[in-house]
Amino acid sequence: MYQLDRPGCSGVACGPHLSIRDPHDLERELPSGQKGAVSVRGLPTFEGYEVSPDPFVPLDTSVFSSEGWFDSGDVGYMDSDG
């Protein structure tokens, strides 16, 4: 259930996979309650940045962790309720 009953809460995590990561090292997930980079992966997250109009040039995926996490640019934390 999507509840916004606490100040500052954006609700229960839904949609793409969500993780709070170390903003200096997206490879590291932070424990519950610790503030960090709100990161997403999975559909509908994009696959990378286009760097060329040439369809044979691969997308730039350097902004993703090795496990596919993308830093949304937001800061937050996950509480025990998710």
Side-chain angles (χ1 to χ4, degrees):
M1 179 178 285
Y2 194 78
Q3 296 180 352
L4 300 174
D5 57 349
R6 292 179 291 187
C9 180
S10 62
V12 176
C14 62
H17 297 112
L18 185 68
S19 176
I20 307 302
R21 315 294 287 186
D22 180 336
H24 304 290
D25 180 8
L26 289 183
E27 301 299 330
R28 190 169 83 84
E29 184 172 30
L30 297 178
S32 180
Q34 191 169 346
K35 288 184 182 177
V38 176
S39 302
V40 295
R41 72 176 178 187
L43 292 175
T45 307
F46 74 118
E47 296 178 13
Y49 290 103
E50 288 186 4
V51 293
S52 170
D54 183 342
F56 297 105
V57 174
L59 297 173
D60 176 3
T61 59
S62 64
V63 296
F64 292 87
S65 75
S66 65
E67 296 177 322
W69 291 106
F70 174 73
D71 179 354
S72 71
D74 294 321
V75 174
Y77 66 94
M78 188 75 67
D79 67 11
S80 60
D81 293 331

